[in-house]
Amino acid sequence: MIIGVAGPLAVGKDTVADILVKKGFVPYSYGNILRSECEKQGLPKDIPTLVRIGDELRAKDPAILSKMILEEITQNHVQYAVVSGIRAPAEAHALKNHYNFLLIWLDAPIYLRYQRTQASRRDERDDMSFEEFKERERQQMYGIGTQINLGEIRKLADLEIVNNTSIESLQNTIEALLCKLNGDN
């Protein structure tokens, strides 16, 4: 089984992946692939560079990043994988062609997500104003100037989870989902 996690900035995609990893899933991330490409090319690993490198790779094949992940999952004989950071429709379609794939759309109110970036101090989003954060999200949701189009990804999702409370609540939601997928009551 492969579970894909998609959603806007600072919604908790990595948190969901971490929860699934604790349940035995092997993590895969588009961001990690792109950071590795930046490292190979001696480039900074900031969001604009990651987006540019992603677009360059996708220009060769819109689903290339998903194909790279699926190849690694197959080569390593991974039975349970979580793929986080799905950002382009072709990537989602490539994964959805896998016989046992579930795409989760994770969402939360934009101001809550902005506050999370300010509290985490993880990357350059920390220095963004709320207006800049909203603009970056608008660009990603509607595919403005990039192949990223989160609005289209959302339409492809099999399930939507709202992450607007605590990590514990999110964990309970994911655990209940796993029970349902396993046929447990």
Side-chain angles (χ1 to χ4, degrees), residues 46-174:
D46 57 20
I47 290 175
T49 304
L50 294 172
V51 169
R52 182 177 58 79
I53 294 299
D55 283 346
E56 288 173 5
L57 288 169
R58 290 180 191 108
K60 298 172 188 170
D61 176 351
I64 191 167
L65 299 176
S66 287
K67 290 176 181 177
M68 292 166 74
I69 286 173
L70 288 169
E71 183 177 322
E72 191 171 327
I73 289 170
T74 301
Q75 287 176 350
N76 293 326
H77 307 287
V78 173
Q79 291 187 358
Y80 298 96
V82 56
V83 180
S84 62
I86 303 164
R87 307 190 85 60
E91 294 165 357
H93 283 293
L95 290 169
K96 284 187 82 66
N97 286 335
H98 188 274
Y99 71 95
N100 199 4
F101 178 75
L102 175 76
L103 179 58
I104 297 172
W105 176 262
L106 197 59
D107 208 351
I110 190 168
Y111 192 71
L112 174 61
R113 292 185 287 105
Y114 176 71
Q115 288 175 316
R116 288 175 181 164
T117 66
Q118 299 306 292
S120 73
R121 296 288 181 203
R122 205 169 89 172
D123 55 39
E124 79 271 1
R125 293 177 298 192
D126 306 336
D127 296 327
M128 276 191 232
S129 70
F130 183 54
E131 291 305 314
E132 291 168 322
F133 187 86
K134 287 193 306 188
E135 178 57 23
R136 169 125 346 122
E137 176 156 312
R138 188 179 74 77
Q139 291 170 355
Q140 291 187 2
M141 286 301 290
Y142 301 106
I144 299 169
T146 179
Q147 293 185 36
I148 291 171
N149 190 321
L150 295 177
E152 291 300 314
I153 302 293
R154 186 177 197 172
K155 292 176 187 174
L156 297 170
D158 300 300
L159 170 68
E160 184 167 327
I161 296 173
V162 178
N163 180 21
N164 62 354
T165 58
S166 66
I167 291 174
E168 293 78 20
S169 177
L170 180 61
Q171 182 170 338
N172 290 339
T173 299
I174 298 302

